[in-house]
Amino acid sequence: MAGIKVSTVVEAPAERVWELLGDFHDLGGWHPGLPASSLGNELTGNAIGSVRVFEIDGAALYETLLAYDEEARSYTYSFPEGTFELYGYRATLRVTPVTALDASFVEWSATYDVESEHRKATADRLHGVFTAGLAALRERFAG
């Protein structure tokens, strides 16, 4: 099992950051590299099992919400098996207060299986997506 974790500190209270990040269907609203998503099934909002669909380079990317915890400010989602040569993909986006700074610690992590010949390219691709999103988030809330 491979994995990646990317994190940053955002200069805003966790409640404000979570107001933006906490909508599973609005990732494309704040991530500069992703378009707006559409609904992939009848479940809306942050209902477990809800599917968001991104149209990227003429292909549809389906992501399913597996867990949502409003109190812990986190959610976990997956891709269908084989998407980007990934198996068992599970990603979590989490916002934690940094109380001494009235700021937020934001972590985006994923675990997955991938064949060895795709390991580096996959890690690089995920790192790029996660890093770009967190950098945009940090800029959005910057002083």
Side-chain angles (χ1 to χ4, degrees):
M1 179 85 42
I4 185 170
K5 283 187 182 182
V6 177
S7 61
T8 193
V9 173
V10 176
E11 296 179 18
E15 296 78 21
R16 281 192 49 221
V17 175
W18 184 245
E19 283 176 17
L20 180 65
L21 298 188
D23 181 351
F24 175 68
H25 291 281
D26 194 35
L27 180 60
W30 60 267
H31 193 296
L34 295 172
S37 64
S38 60
L39 290 176
N41 61 14
E42 70 284 351
L43 299 174
T44 60
N46 296 316
I48 303 305
S50 182
V51 176
R52 63 184 178 198
V53 182
F54 296 101
E55 295 292 331
I56 301 172
D57 298 329
L61 171 62
Y62 294 83
E63 297 180 340
T64 302
L65 186 62
L66 302 175
Y68 189 90
D69 189 332
E70 182 76 31
E71 187 175 318
R73 297 182 195 92
S74 72
Y75 65 77
T76 300
Y77 62 95
S78 67
F79 293 159
E81 295 296 298
T83 302
F84 303 122
E85 292 105 18
L86 297 173
Y87 296 88
Y89 181 88
R90 301 290 180 266
T92 299
L93 192 56
R94 178 181 338 271
V95 179
T96 306
V98 180
T99 57
L101 302 175
D102 199 26
S104 302
F105 177 78
V106 181
E107 180 182 74
W108 201 348
S109 61
T111 57
Y112 52 89
D113 285 320
V114 64
E115 300 210 12
S116 59
E117 66 265 22
H118 300 293
R119 189 166 292 230
K120 180 167 178 7
T122 297
D124 290 348
R125 177 177 36 220
L126 289 173
H127 187 269
V129 170
F130 290 5
T131 300
L134 295 185
L137 183 64
R138 199 173 47 251
E139 279 184 33
R140 184 179 191 128
F141 287 100

